[in-house]
Amino acid sequence: MSSVPASADVGVIGAGIVGLATARALRQRGATVTVYERGVPGAGQSGGESRVFRHAHDDPRLVAAARDSRTIWDTWADELGIETVSPDGALTIGPDVDAKLALLRDVDGIGAREVDADELAQLLPLLGPFDGPAFLDPRGGSIRTTATIEALAAELATTLVHDEVLQVRQVSGGRAEVRTGGRTVVHDHVVVCAGRGTPAIARSVGIELPVKQSTHVRYTFEPAGRPPSRAACLQDGSGVFGETGIYAAPGPDHATYAVGLSDTAGVRDDGTIIDGDALADLAARAARYVARALPGLRADPVGVRHCWVTELPWSSDGVAAWSQPGLTLVAGHNLFKLAPWLGGLLAANALGDGLDERLQPESRLGAAPEGQG
Ligand SMILES: Cc1cc2nc3c(=O)[nH]c(=O)nc-3n(C[C@H](O)[C@H](O)[C@H](O)COP(=O)(O)OP(=O)(O)OC[C@H]3O[C@@H](n4cnc5c(N)ncnc54)[C@H](O)[C@@H]3O)c2cc1C
């Protein structure tokens, strides 16, 4: 427990969903907050409409964390006056349904259950016939990413400094100094939530983060006819439609449906893409999948999202934080759903409560327990 004053002055680097969630939690605890953002809030890895909120993870600790984060998403909806997660639910189909369902049933408050082919067709009428193993995560749904980012950025507008952070330096008194294009500021604590920018800032304070960078693409499609009244999110590991790592989520009013493969395209350490055709191949595979699996959608995509991915070595759902005097740095992937929960823990560490044991790198949060997954 370090002696951070109650009215601490905390700097947050990055106005993506994790930085905004951390800044909100800090303000709710009475801290003075400055959020540094070199671009537009929410235009980095948090960009684009809709994300899947799911409870299913290989690590039971992350299942419980997702359950707790889901509760905070509801609180945000009340406090921000917006829908944060749609009531559509999240479907999982494929051979690992039983194993995932067993993990979900071990955690209270999720209520996941098996569904048969008829109910599956009602929950996701866009999907072609499928009579294999399937379950519904009723508290899952599509995260309203754009509305959430806009509401948080508006609520935190006075804290935002649109400037690039070139360096963070630890200074005396357990505090940290931020140097941007136009200023030098010393804060009681700095939380680095800079997504793809975090490893470089970490390296400048002598910390090598085990982050593997890659690139990813997701296509958005429109319904062939009238938007359905219900369109659950989908995780398809079945292979029945030619792919085993599919995720998909509806946009507002079910007017769009975004579909991506969990595969990514490799990147060299200098950030250059290794195989120039990889993203195009991934996009083409997603379009072929939609033509086979989702006859309720028009075959031609109406939107695309390309992005950087920052994964930890122990799981594509891995997340961890590095804590030093005056400094906290966070890294991981698939963080949108966890951001309300994660932001609270990062704020707690910045205010001297100590870093939650689950976020310690050696805890490898997100990794399947030994002998499983
Ligand atoms: C297509 C796609 C699908 C996804 N699907 C899901 C899903 O279904 N469920 C899920 O939970 N997650 C999903 N994710 C992952 C999730 O979106 C990310 O993990 C999350 O948005 C990361 O948020 P962040 O705040 O850490 O990073 P970012 O949103 O990248 O924010 C970091 C911010 O820091 C700023 N920054 C960086 N360096 C500096 C600097 N030096 N100075 C000032 N500012 C700086 C950047 O401009 C950026 O705005 C998906 C991601 C993509 C792209």
Side-chain angles (χ1 to χ4, degrees), residues 4 11 20 35 59-60 82 105 112 129 131 175 183 203 217 243 253 269 306 308-309 333 337-338 347 365 370:
V4 176
L20 292 170
V35 180
D59 183 342
I82 61 169
R105 286 180 171 146
D131 60 3
R175 303 193 302 160
R183 61 186 72 194
R203 202 167 295 128
V217 57
E243 293 286 351
D253 308 320
D269 289 349
H306 296 104
W308 298 101
V309 170
H333 182 44
K337 62 182 119 54
L338 295 174
L365 184 60
E370 294 297 319

Side-chain angles (χ1 to χ4, degrees), residues 40 160 197 267 293 325 327 349 362:
V40 175
L160 276 167
V267 164
L327 198 54
N349 190 53
E362 55 276 16

Side-chain angles (χ1 to χ4, degrees), residues 353-366:
D353 299 353
L355 185 63
D356 186 290
E357 185 270 330
R358 291 166 291 182
L359 288 182
Q360 311 269 357
E362 55 276 16
S363 298
R364 295 159 47 89
L365 184 60

Side-chain angles (χ1 to χ4, degrees), residues 13-20 36-47 50-54 143 149 163-166 193-198 201 216-218 235 247 249 305-310 330 332-338:
I13 303 178
I17 190 61
V18 177
L20 292 170
Y36 299 94
E37 173 53 60
R38 68 179 170 195
V40 175
Q45 293 172 286
S46 301
S50 80
R51 296 287 192 277
V52 176
F53 186 98
R54 57 177 159 99
I143 303 174
I149 294 277
D163 205 348
E164 178 171 19
V165 172
L166 281 74
C193 309
R196 186 175 177 245
T198 296
I201 294 173
H216 180 64
V217 57
R218 183 193 70 178
Q235 307 276 139
Y247 69 88
R305 185 77 204 168
H306 296 104
C307 65
W308 298 101
V309 170
T310 51
V330 64
H333 182 44
N334 285 325
L335 301 180
F336 216 112
K337 62 182 119 54
L338 295 174

Side-chain angles (χ1 to χ4, degrees), residues 277-292:
D277 297 325
L279 281 176
D281 293 347
L282 282 175
R285 281 171 55 193
R288 286 198 296 274
Y289 171 84
V290 164
R292 286 190 296 261

Side-chain angles (χ1 to χ4, degrees), residues 15-359:
I17 190 61
V18 177
L20 292 170
T22 304
R24 185 168 209 260
L26 285 162
R27 284 237 297 208
Q28 287 182 331
R29 291 191 52 175
T32 301
V33 180
T34 304
V35 180
Y36 299 94
E37 173 53 60
R38 68 179 170 195
V40 175
Q45 293 172 286
S46 301
E49 183 52 60
S50 80
R51 296 287 192 277
V52 176
F53 186 98
R54 57 177 159 99
H55 289 94
H57 293 84
D58 295 338
D59 183 342
R61 298 169 300 169
L62 212 45
V63 173
R67 185 258 334 265
D68 299 345
S69 196
R70 185 65 183 81
T71 303
I72 307 172
W73 278 111
D74 285 344
T75 305
W76 280 14
D78 297 340
E79 293 170 347
L80 297 169
I82 61 169
E83 180 180 74
T84 52
V85 180
S86 77
D88 290 292
L91 287 166
T92 297
I93 64 175
D96 52 3
V97 156
D98 292 347
K100 286 189 172 175
L101 206 41
L103 263 175
L104 292 177
R105 286 180 171 146
D106 287 347
V107 177
D108 295 342
I110 296 176
R113 57 183 177 77
E114 283 175 68
V115 295
D116 62 18
D118 293 344
E119 188 175 6
L120 187 64
Q122 288 160 24
L123 292 164
L124 184 53
L126 301 169
L127 183 69
F130 179 84
D131 60 3
F135 77 78
L136 173 70
D137 173 359
R139 295 266 293 151
S142 185
I143 303 174
R144 300 294 181 228
T145 53
T146 310
T148 299
I149 294 277
E150 283 172 5
L152 291 173
E155 185 186 75
L156 293 158
T158 57
T159 72
L160 276 167
V161 169
H162 292 282
D163 205 348
E164 178 171 19
V165 172
L166 281 74
Q167 186 197 18
V168 174
R169 188 168 66 113
Q170 291 160 293
V171 294
S172 61
R175 303 193 302 160
E177 172 197 81
V178 170
R179 288 178 183 266
T180 73
R183 61 186 72 194
T184 302
V185 183
V186 175
H187 294 282
D188 294 314
H189 199 95
V190 170
V191 187
V192 183
C193 309
R196 186 175 177 245
T198 296
I201 294 173
R203 202 167 295 128
S204 72
V205 291
I207 304 172
E208 273 305 321
L209 299 186
V211 170
K212 181 171 81 59
Q213 301 200 29
S214 60
T215 56
H216 180 64
V217 57
R218 183 193 70 178
Y219 266 159
T220 298
F221 300 82
E222 283 179 340
R226 283 167 51 81
S229 57
R230 183 156 186 184
C233 297
L234 177 67
Q235 307 276 139
D236 177 3
S238 71
V240 166
F241 303 107
E243 293 286 351
T244 56
I246 292 291
Y247 69 88
D253 308 320
H254 307 130
T256 58
Y257 203 66
V259 180
L261 283 72
S262 50
D263 293 352
T264 60
V267 164
R268 298 182 187 87
D269 289 349
D270 64 3
T272 54
I273 292 176
I274 296 169
D275 171 356
D277 297 325
L279 281 176
D281 293 347
L282 282 175
R285 281 171 55 193
R288 286 198 296 274
Y289 171 84
V290 164
R292 286 190 296 261
L294 294 156
L297 295 175
R298 291 183 206 288
D300 298 327
V302 293
V304 66
R305 185 77 204 168
H306 296 104
C307 65
W308 298 101
V309 170
T310 51
E311 285 175 321
L312 292 170
W314 54 81
S315 166
S316 60
D317 287 327
V319 56
W322 287 256
S323 180
Q324 298 236 333
L327 198 54
T328 305
L329 307 109
V330 64
H333 182 44
N334 285 325
L335 301 180
F336 216 112
K337 62 182 119 54
L338 295 174
W341 168 82
L342 185 57
L345 295 182
L346 297 172
N349 190 53
L351 298 177
D353 299 353
L355 185 63
D356 186 290
E357 185 270 330
R358 291 166 291 182
L359 288 182

